[in-house]
Amino acid sequence: MSTATTTPQRESATDTPPVDRHSRRFGLPIATALVMGNIIGGGIFLLPASVAPYGTVSLVAFGVLTLGAIALALVFGRLAHRLPQTGGPYVYARAAFGDFAGFLAAWSYWITAWVSNAALAVAAVGYLDVIVPIHASKPATIAAALAFQWLPALANLAGTRYVGAVQIVATVLKFVPLILVAVGGLFFFDGANLGPFHPAQGGTLGAVSASAAILLFSYLGVESAAVSAGEVRDPRRNVGRATVLGTLGAAAVYLLGTLSVFGTVPHDRLVTSTAPFSDATNAMVGGSWGGTAVACMAMVSILGALNGWTLLSAQAPYAAARDGLFPKAFTVKRRGVPTVGVLVTVVLASLLTVYNYTAGTQGVFEILVLVTTFTATVPYLLSTAAQIYFLLSGQSEKVSRARLARDAFLALAAFGFSLWLVAGSGYAAVYQGVLFLFVGVLVYAFMAARKQRAAAPAG
């Protein structure tokens, strides 16, 4: 274990890219936008209708999820202060538990990223269809989904300078209308629209867990700044702040937006709504133009999320490949961006997208989306366990008793939250996710053997 704990420190120099006019380190505003943009994708436009069948008890689930996400954000901030290198959960797991744990974190995170990208692209096409009806043509639908994936990939290949610019623009264009709906809806709020607290059968606790299972995917991305720590200016200071600020901002938009929609759209109509924010807008201002406006917002939101997730999808494999745990090709970096990682990720996501449309098995794709919730919790669990390990073993820094107690409480809370995420994923998603992990074990065996042969003395 001692070798693993010193390796990230020894290799931290590799996280400083050569000076390049296309490469620019992120400051606090862009890092915060990255976190918020990755947490809030297109899901917010569907969430109120998705959880409406569970009643307003789903707002309780939102609150619990928010507290857990903030605890996780604070833990990532402390870990980034200790180990401010690109790779996030991979770096933390490897430093604490060795190569295999680090590989599992990187492998799981990578799966989460490219499957999520495929899901986001399909969601974007659904909103595009509101403006330009294309679902009647399967080739046009597939082409649109692929365009939504490749445009952010091309922005990433242009360099981190352009990634940051796109993220700022997308975040601004996304949050202005979302905040208008979230805040404006409070002025049209009618308590009679809320419906029952818990209309379904079963206990309240079960309803909270069931609605939370739907909401879990919406909070993925709290680790965004930590994963890209090597591209953030003064990461010891800015990563933690960006993570907490981004999570709080996303939580505020989620809670206010859902509450406003609940209070402006009658419950019986909301349960069957396919465009809840459009219905809320129409209730506020009248007319039927709200659907088009919300569709535009959703596409901007999803493009911003795809832009950020594309960068993150290449960072974890880059960090693992640098240590010999992923193929060496993933270390290729141009203009501050791991280009091979970006290309491989977008190709895999594209293939999955084409499969989804040609196979016509919607259930399979939905299971894969839930798999991302499970695979994301693997690096979350390993990261929080690493923080607990660091605190109990007294490594890397000495802390006061007060800080030790606070950090230990946060780490345990974040660990429990991550376990709840696993439970909320459902049996089918956990089953599929474990299969993905076992494939990773085979890849690790190959890479570890190759690394061992390279390190063995000649003769």
Side-chain angles (χ1 to χ4, degrees):
M1 294 298 179
S2 60
T3 302
T5 58
T6 57
T7 301
Q9 297 291 345
R10 184 179 65 246
E11 295 179 353
S12 61
T14 63
D15 286 306
T16 303
V19 177
D20 189 314
R21 66 188 181 90
H22 298 283
S23 175
R24 178 179 296 173
R25 286 179 177 265
F26 303 151
L28 180 60
I30 293 180
T32 302
L34 185 69
V35 175
M36 294 180 71
N38 286 344
I39 292 177
I40 300 181
I44 187 171
F45 296 97
L46 297 175
L47 284 176
S50 299
V51 297
Y54 300 99
T56 53
V57 71
S58 57
L59 295 175
V60 177
F62 248 136
V64 175
L65 282 171
T66 299
L67 291 176
I70 292 173
L72 199 57
L74 290 169
V75 170
F76 276 119
R78 295 302 302 159
L79 286 167
H81 184 271
R82 186 188 303 271
L83 297 167
Q85 290 96 44
T86 292
Y90 161 75
V91 173
Y92 314 143
R94 183 169 182 262
F97 309 121
D99 285 352
F100 183 60
F103 173 84
L104 281 182
W107 179 261
S108 300
Y109 196 80
W110 187 48
I111 293 171
T112 301
W114 62 263
V115 176
S116 296
N117 283 359
L120 287 170
V122 172
V125 171
Y127 287 108
L128 177 63
D129 190 62
V130 174
I131 303 171
V132 182
I134 59 174
H135 273 145
S137 171
K138 184 172 291 187
T141 301
I142 294 175
L146 295 181
F148 275 112
Q149 292 176 20
W150 281 91
L151 286 175
L154 292 175
N156 273 263
L157 293 175
T160 54
R161 175 178 182 177
Y162 302 101
V163 174
V166 171
Q167 201 64 36
I168 285 290
V169 172
T171 301
V172 171
L173 292 178
K174 170 170 55 181
F175 278 98
V176 168
L178 283 178
I179 291 174
L180 287 176
V181 172
V183 177
L186 298 178
F187 293 95
F188 297 86
F189 191 91
D190 184 354
N193 291 327
L194 292 177
F197 179 71
H198 173 35
Q201 295 181 350
T204 301
L205 184 60
V208 171
S209 297
S211 56
I214 298 174
L215 301 171
L216 297 180
F217 186 74
S218 63
Y219 270 105
L220 298 183
V222 297
E223 72 293 333
S224 303
V227 172
S228 298
E231 281 67 48
V232 177
R233 285 198 302 269
D234 191 7
R236 294 182 187 276
R237 176 185 177 90
N238 286 332
V239 167
R241 292 184 175 187
T243 301
V244 174
L245 290 174
T247 302
L248 287 173
V253 173
Y254 275 151
L255 291 170
L256 280 177
T258 303
L259 182 62
S260 293
V261 173
F262 272 24
T264 53
V265 181
H267 180 263
D268 56 348
R269 181 179 176 187
L270 183 60
V271 170
T272 59
S273 174
T274 57
F277 269 73
S278 294
D279 292 336
T281 302
N282 291 337
M284 290 165 55
V285 301
S288 59
W289 54 269
T292 300
V294 169
C296 292
M297 294 184 232
M299 286 189 290
V300 171
S301 174
I302 293 170
L303 279 172
L306 280 167
N307 181 63
W309 274 108
T310 299
L311 175 63
L312 296 183
S313 67
Q315 297 289 19
Y318 163 77
R322 186 190 57 198
D323 296 325
L325 299 179
F326 255 60
K328 188 177 180 179
F330 283 88
T331 61
V332 176
K333 210 170 187 180
R334 298 284 188 275
R335 299 173 175 178
V337 175
T339 52
V340 172
V342 169
L343 288 171
V344 172
T345 295
V346 73
V347 167
L348 287 173
S350 297
L351 292 174
L352 182 60
T353 302
V354 172
Y355 168 78
N356 175 62
Y357 281 117
T358 56
T361 51
Q362 184 70 20
V364 172
F365 191 76
E366 290 172 353
I367 288 295
L368 289 175
V369 171
L370 285 175
V371 167
T372 64
T373 303
F374 169 74
T375 54
T377 60
V378 174
Y380 289 173
L381 284 168
L382 289 171
S383 296
T384 52
Q387 173 72 337
I388 294 170
Y389 169 75
F390 290 139
L391 292 172
L392 295 180
S393 62
Q395 290 193 37
S396 300
E397 65 178 8
K398 293 183 178 180
V399 296
S400 65
R401 287 184 177 272
R403 173 170 287 184
L404 177 63
R406 182 198 67 185
D407 286 354
F409 173 79
L410 287 172
L412 289 172
F415 189 85
F417 173 68
S418 300
L419 282 178
W420 189 39
L421 295 184
V422 173
S425 299
Y427 293 109
V430 172
Y431 170 75
Q432 297 286 347
V434 168
L435 292 181
F436 273 116
L437 291 182
F438 284 171
V439 172
V441 172
L442 180 62
V443 174
Y444 175 80
F446 174 80
M447 296 306 303
R450 185 176 180 180
K451 183 179 179 181
Q452 182 66 29
R453 287 199 306 269

